[in-house]
Amino acid sequence: MKLDAQIPEGPIEKKWDLHKFNLKLVNPANKRKYHIIVVGTGLAGASAAASLAELGYKVTAISYHESPRRAHSIAAQGGINAPKNYPNDGDSIYRLFYDTVKGGDYRAREANVYRLAQVSNSIIDQCVAQGVPFARDYGGLLDNRSFGGAQVSRTFYARGQTGQQLLLGAYSALSRQIGLGAVKFYGRRDVLDIIVADGQARGVVTRNMVTGLLETYTGDAVILATGGYGNAYYLSTNAKQSNASAIWRAHKKGAYFANACFTQIHPTCIPVSSDHQSKLTLMSESLRNDGRIWVPKKQGDARDPRQIPEDERDYYLERLYPSFGNLVPRDVASRRAKEACDRGRGVGPTKLAVYLDFADTIKRNGRDWIVQKYDNLFDMYQRITDENAFEKPMRIFPAVHYTMGGLWVDYNLMSTIPGLFVLGEANFSDHGANRLGASALMQGLADGYFIIPYTIGDYLARTKFTPMKEDHPAVVDTLSAVDNTIQKLVAVQGNQSVDQLHRKLGRIMWEFVGMSRNAAGLKKGQGEIRKLREEFWKDVKLPGTALEFNQELEKAWRVADFMELAELMATDALHREESCGGHFREEHQTDENEAKRNDKKFSYVAAWEFKGVGTPPKLHKEPLKFEYVTPSQRSYK
Amino acid sequence: MGTLLQFYTSSVGKKLAVGLTGLFLCSFLVVHLGINLFLFAGDGGESYNMYAEFMATNPLIKMLEVVLVVGFLLHIFTSVILWFKNRSARPERYAMYDAAASSELSSRVTLLTGSVVFMFLVIHLRTFWFGSRYGNEAGYTMYQLVMRAFGNPVYDLLYITSFVILGYHLRHGFQSAFQTFGINNSRYTRLIELIAAIFWLVVPILFAAIPLYFLRMHYMTGGIV
Amino acid sequence: MNFTLKIWRQKDSASKGELTTYYTSDITSDMSFLEVLDKLNQELIKRGDDPVAFDHDCREGICGSCGMYINGRSHGPQRGGASCQLHMRSFKDGETIVVEPFRAKGFPIIKDLVVDRSAFDRIMQAGGFVSVDTGGTPDANAIPIPKKIADVAMNAASCIGCGACVAACKNSSAMLFVAAKVSQLALLPQGQTERKERVIAMLAQMDKEGFGSCTNTYSCEAECPKEISVTHIARMNREYLKAVLS
């Protein structure tokens, strides 16, 4: 099958408008005859479900959370980008487009990114209309701050809780539609597989997490908005339940998985403190606006940071990147932190941390100013570390945060399975090899509010549907396959808990498919993943039965899928013989240890076709054409 | 009427009813205290008796009395309904419940303190109101009734304790009513606290001073009326 | 550190539950309370016992999933944090810690410490929104909002919907939760058109869900992980009064 991204013709700034005009429409009266199933109710899913219901479609929304408000979008702190140019600092749609393509290290599709930048302004309008309390200046107008990878202030924020406020906005829109009966919401349902009938995505199989009963939901199209797969690393900033099962099952049913190795390691997280650590906590990157990152010049310098004089400190980001300084993109900041620690200059008890110091800003602007701006972040830091960052520099270290890879989608956000649409972090589309800060919220909402409502109509209008019944072979087969796998899991009765095995997977991934990778390590990693997968299926231990509330079973299903996905991540990383964005191959770096791309050979999206567990997947390439932003060595100097 | 019913059937509406009647009862307390203060006039009860007579016979006051009774009943009835509803909102209790960590005791025991005040009220009405309205066998004036009643240290103790408890009831109740009316912001908080202190502190102290005054008189005069 | 944990175990909504005692050792002070439960669960699984079910997700105090009644208090003995943000340094070595689910008629127990808080969603569905469809909205800066107002609205909006207010209230009242949303939208110009209908509808749904009424003990504010002020309840009362009277 040849990949067709369906990118419209025309100049980049006209593509989306022309495309919208060319899309087929569904007559308002006919919309209610179409039934759309939305899986996941975070920013992308909730905004899509609400917007589609507003248009008149019949919508079923499914989430493993008890309520849409619990989705992990809620944890995004920093902000959301939009080139409103309110600060009058020279921003434009084109500049946001340019920054995002460049920030993604030229591995994103230009047309998608341009559209994202285009609709982002409407997102801000939409959210304000919903009553999202964005930060304002004293004149009552919206305030902006700057973020990594940009030299303009275009980030809208609501204290350090922007994701929460945006999600609650989308949740309120969704709640309104649920209240009106236009959306049926099913919470505490785990989507375990996708029903594909006659080549079309027509439904999902879920497990009711309260009763353990399997259920099926069928309709005319399925939207997956299930987030990223960072939990393949066990320790990450993702929520504990974040998982890849829905997209991975879709992949196994025929949806290509793109750029699986593009993982974002976020530079400003609270360092790991003990073996019992269950998850990592992110400190918003907005802190880099006012904090200075440094390590002692001397190796193993264990002095209290306040006792280390200025001339014995290395503000390495400011030294290496004078023009962007502490605001270099995430991948660069993370890699440099790791490098400093690798060279024995790490700080704190584990020596796996660098300082983020606010002393200068506090001296300049006062403590109150910091409280105003970062309030909850300093509080959060103290809560976790028992240290006061007003007095002592914060210790930070990179942690797995976001996955740019995901299911391959075309310009319409449809995967290679007709009728299966993928939104938000779950797809691969807009961030290339590295996502800039404050872009995840932007993409999730762009997909949900302003793209899918148009593109799904085109699919529905063009497609002939046969009615789906409970006894359709596709439904029956998928259901029984899911049931069999559950029975298999429960029957193993081994000796290791799911968490134990998941931790092992995490260690392999962090070591071999982590922040910097090499061919030998990746090969070794692949082998270890395979071994661990076998171990999992022989030795996993589940308490209880499948027909009850059973959180271990939920985890087991997800970890089983991670075990397969992890191998694809390693395979993708191994095949990509270049460094770009979050994917750093030690064999491919410049003399200054910067990522060295190979545009000649790798300027493409790697879309993988599933060929069976343990069987190498088949690579399909979607070439990337850069007509507007000329790929160059990214420079933030 | 429909609106009023809808209002009263809602939980916030009921709370407003309790608050409104509560404040109304507070206003009654002030009037009552105002008259009582004439007990201290030192004129052998002349002015006090005059006001007592006025209160007992004026037809307007008699009408207001009905309103007062309705206010009392509404306050009590609504509070009891709310109490049952609130209890049923947690069918299974906590094994460990550290309410003191998050709230003032006075705010959690209003039904209890209110009940004590109510029992006092019954006794109080029997002693004084009944006497003023329907006369008494010995033909005492109101002032004499007061003197006699407060000559009894046990009755005084009961009276004073009841006012301490009323004070505690109002310690929560007064400001709580304002919260329920929606008046709680920094501009008025201090003022409300100040007025609240008059009600939960000054008013009960003044009421409690009466039995002490008469007890002292009782012992100084050897108990002769 | 070592602790004795007394945890509420209840098989499902239909069964009766009871406190069961467990002993944990080798706990470090920087572990979070949920990590202690993780550790206990690992031991239970090893032993072939049923692990303790509890809701949790983001583990950074924002998703509102976790909610336990720890030593007689919502989210335990800390101020301004969710159960996941509670660290063992808040306890004394050797202490006995009682862990119960959030208890309220409006929050039926699903299993162990997991409760069903969908009542909150239904309250939101009754009116916790501005009726604006996607698209066709004016420019964001067309509606200036004084910073002071926006800040107060944001304070209210920071509610994470965990239910600590209900759990702490002696009346199991959901007033703080409802007020946070009503107040946020009453403060902002966007919320004006549906101001009256909203407060009436949300309060009616709250009553219907079986939550108790507010007796102004202010436990909710004291136990709220986001420290949302009861002045929002006052504002909601005012809104309600205005809505009913006009």
Side-chain angles (χ1 to χ4, degrees), chain A residues 278-417:
Chain A
S278 56
K279 101 156 266 263
L280 297 172
T281 305
L282 172 87
M283 307 289 293
S284 166
E285 121 173 346
S286 60
L287 289 170
R288 285 200 275 145
N289 271 313
D290 296 296
R292 300 179 69 196
I293 293 173
W294 62 275
V295 289
K297 283 186 177 162
K298 213 166 68 195
Q299 286 189 356
D301 192 337
R303 281 178 291 177
D304 183 312
R306 290 166 292 190
Q307 308 300 322
I308 300 177
E310 275 299 310
D311 60 343
E312 291 178 42
R313 300 176 175 191
D314 180 13
Y315 295 91
Y316 56 88
L317 289 179
E318 295 172 23
R319 174 170 58 80
L320 293 165
Y321 308 99
S323 75
F324 276 69
N326 293 298
L327 284 176
V328 290
R330 292 176 173 174
D331 54 335
V332 178
S334 291
R335 207 152 48 236
R336 291 298 181 185
K338 179 180 188 291
E339 186 186 77
C341 295
D342 286 349
R343 291 185 182 165
R345 289 153 72 200
V347 299
T350 55
K351 299 287 169 210
L352 285 175
V354 299
Y355 288 126
L356 177 62
D357 200 335
F358 292 88
D360 287 349
T361 313
I362 293 172
K363 223 180 281 163
R364 194 171 59 239
N365 296 333
R367 193 185 158 122
D368 285 350
W369 188 85
I370 294 271
V371 170
Q372 271 287 317
K373 227 172 155 181
Y374 301 115
D375 176 34
N376 61 327
L377 297 175
F378 276 63
D379 191 54
M380 192 158 101
Y381 182 79
Q382 175 144 32
R383 217 180 264 283
I384 293 172
T385 61
D386 207 18
E387 276 180 16
N388 184 347
F390 285 106
E391 278 148 26
K392 218 173 160 181
M394 284 182 184
R395 283 175 294 115
I396 54 165
F397 197 66
V400 174
H401 178 55
Y402 188 90
T403 47
M404 282 74 68
L407 291 185
W408 184 90
V409 288
D410 62 15
Y411 190 72
N412 295 319
L413 303 181
M414 191 164 85
S415 70
T416 50
I417 300 176

Side-chain angles (χ1 to χ4, degrees), chain C residues 78-145:
Chain C
Q78 61 174 347
R79 286 232 157 193
S83 301
C84 60
Q85 295 171 292
L86 178 65
H87 286 77
M88 297 316 286
R89 64 179 83 95
S90 306
F91 297 94
K92 283 194 288 288
D93 193 9
E95 207 175 324
T96 297
I97 305 172
V98 180
V99 193
E100 294 175 80
F102 280 177
R103 293 192 190 282
K105 191 171 154 195
F107 290 167
I109 295 176
I110 291 175
K111 183 180 179 180
D112 297 342
L113 304 172
V114 179
V115 298
D116 178 3
R117 285 169 288 197
S118 52
F120 273 11
D121 289 321
R122 289 187 292 273
I123 293 172
M124 283 291 290
Q125 287 153 20
F129 47 77
V130 174
S131 292
V132 49
D133 284 354
T134 303
T137 50
D139 183 81
N141 257 353
I143 323 167
I145 302 170

Side-chain angles (χ1 to χ4, degrees), chain B:
Chain B
M1 191 62 206
T3 317
L4 203 66
L5 194 71
Q6 180 206 351
F7 183 68
Y8 189 74
T9 47
S10 77
S11 61
V12 177
K14 280 203 250 323
K15 278 305 297 174
L16 279 159
V18 174
L20 271 175
T21 49
L23 284 195
F24 171 64
L25 296 177
C26 279
S27 71
F28 157 72
L29 214 54
V30 174
V31 175
H32 194 318
L33 179 67
I35 294 165
N36 280 14
L37 287 181
F38 284 103
L39 289 168
F40 298 127
D43 56 1
E46 195 180 322
S47 43
Y48 177 74
N49 282 336
M50 196 182 83
Y51 278 105
E53 173 72 15
F54 171 78
M55 295 302 281
T57 53
N58 185 293
L60 190 70
I61 299 293
K62 282 197 167 176
M63 267 163 63
L64 279 178
E65 221 169 52
V66 177
V67 179
L68 184 65
V69 172
V70 172
F72 259 112
L73 291 180
L74 199 61
H75 189 76
I76 295 166
F77 177 70
T78 315
S79 300
V80 171
I81 292 185
L82 281 175
W83 188 82
F84 276 108
K85 179 177 184 281
N86 290 343
R87 268 195 78 86
S88 76
R90 179 164 296 142
E92 186 153 21
R93 321 302 292 175
Y94 286 111
M96 187 171 175
Y97 185 62
D98 185 3
S102 59
S103 59
E104 300 276 342
L105 180 65
S106 62
S107 71
R108 300 194 304 271
V109 292
T110 43
L111 194 84
L112 186 71
T113 51
S115 308
V116 173
V117 171
F118 177 71
M119 283 188 285
F120 162 76
L121 197 67
V122 174
I123 298 170
H124 180 74
L125 285 176
R126 213 185 88 97
T127 318
F128 298 114
W129 181 80
F130 200 76
S132 89
R133 187 57 54 87
Y134 301 105
N136 49 78
E137 284 165 32
Y140 292 127
T141 64
M142 271 310 287
Y143 188 78
Q144 284 167 327
L145 261 181
V146 171
M147 262 176 81
R148 287 180 64 85
F150 289 142
N152 180 351
V154 179
Y155 192 84
D156 291 345
L157 189 69
L158 174 81
Y159 191 96
I160 291 167
T161 313
S162 299
F163 271 98
V164 168
I165 286 172
L166 176 65
Y168 203 57
H169 188 75
L170 294 181
R171 172 88 179 84
H172 172 73
F174 194 84
Q175 58 79 28
S176 172
F178 282 90
Q179 163 80 5
T180 303
F181 302 152
I183 305 165
N184 180 358
N185 59 37
S186 45
R187 224 181 319 163
Y188 300 118
T189 308
R190 292 288 296 273
L191 185 68
I192 291 170
E193 272 172 17
L194 199 76
I195 300 172
I198 294 176
F199 277 94
W200 70 262
L201 192 66
V202 180
V203 170
I205 284 177
L206 289 175
F207 269 111
I210 298 166
L212 291 176
Y213 174 80
F214 284 101
L215 193 64
R216 181 167 166 272
M217 188 189 283
H218 179 81
Y219 284 110
M220 283 182 51
T221 58
I224 302 155
V225 176

Side-chain angles (χ1 to χ4, degrees), chain A residues 54-128:
Chain A
E54 285 161 12
L55 286 173
Y57 293 110
K58 193 177 152 199
V59 177
T60 293
I62 302 172
S63 168
Y64 55 70
H65 284 112
E66 58 173 344
S67 160
R69 69 179 300 150
R70 312 252 182 256
H72 198 50
S73 309
I74 205 149
Q77 299 166 358
I80 175 166
N81 286 331
K84 285 274 194 185
N85 195 31
Y86 287 156
N88 194 31
D89 56 0
D91 203 3
S92 62
I93 290 172
Y94 199 88
R95 188 177 293 281
L96 174 56
F97 156 67
Y98 177 90
D99 286 347
T100 308
V101 172
K102 178 187 171 196
D105 217 357
Y106 310 98
R107 289 295 172 262
R109 218 184 261 155
E110 274 190 337
N112 280 54
V113 178
Y114 193 89
R115 175 177 64 183
L116 174 66
Q118 245 175 333
V119 302
S120 64
N121 282 334
S122 307
I123 297 172
I124 304 300
D125 300 341
Q126 185 64 33
C127 295
V128 166

Side-chain angles (χ1 to χ4, degrees), chain A residues 51 54 65-70 72 74-75 77 84 86 124-126 128-131 133 136-138 140-142 158-159 161 164-165 168 171-172 175-176 178-179 188 210 237 239-241 273 276-281 372 383-386 449-450 495 497 499-500 541 543 548-549 551-552, chain C residues 11 30-31 35 38-39 42 45-46 48-49 51-60 62-65 78-81 85 87 89 110-111 114-115 117 121 124-125 128-135 137-141 143-145 147 150-151 154-155 157-161 177 184 188 190:
Chain A
S51 303
E54 285 161 12
H65 284 112
E66 58 173 344
S67 160
R69 69 179 300 150
R70 312 252 182 256
H72 198 50
I74 205 149
Q77 299 166 358
K84 285 274 194 185
Y86 287 156
I124 304 300
D125 300 341
Q126 185 64 33
V128 166
Q130 289 168 345
R136 285 170 186 271
D137 57 29
Y138 286 96
L141 300 179
L142 293 160
R159 295 208 185 123
Q161 291 146 258
Q164 180 200 26
Q165 294 311 312
L168 292 182
Y171 163 67
S172 72
S175 294
R176 176 171 157 242
I178 297 172
R188 293 197 192 270
V210 177
T237 65
K240 291 296 284 179
Q241 299 197 74
S273 72
H276 294 296
Q277 192 122 356
S278 56
K279 101 156 266 263
L280 297 172
T281 305
Q372 271 287 317
R383 217 180 264 283
I384 293 172
T385 61
D386 207 18
Y449 282 134
F450 296 110
N495 293 308
S497 72
D499 279 7
Q500 264 176 302
K541 178 171 184 162
E548 62 180 341
F549 188 96
Q551 291 174 316
E552 288 299 308
Chain C
K11 199 171 164 11
D30 58 1
M31 279 169 79
E35 283 164 3
D38 287 343
K39 187 169 178 290
Q42 291 302 308
I45 294 166
K46 270 251 141 73
D49 290 340
V52 180
F54 62 99
D55 264 333
H56 62 96
D57 202 26
C58 78
R59 297 210 177 189
E60 47 190 82
I62 194 77
C63 74
S65 298
Q78 61 174 347
R79 286 232 157 193
Q85 295 171 292
H87 286 77
R89 64 179 83 95
I110 291 175
K111 183 180 179 180
V114 179
V115 298
R117 285 169 288 197
D121 289 321
M124 283 291 290
Q125 287 153 20
F129 47 77
V130 174
S131 292
V132 49
D133 284 354
T134 303
T137 50
D139 183 81
N141 257 353
I143 323 167
I145 302 170
K147 182 171 167 30
D151 283 348
M154 179 61 209
N155 290 343
S158 64
C159 169
I160 60 173
F177 168 78
Q184 177 203 340
L188 297 173
Q190 297 93 314

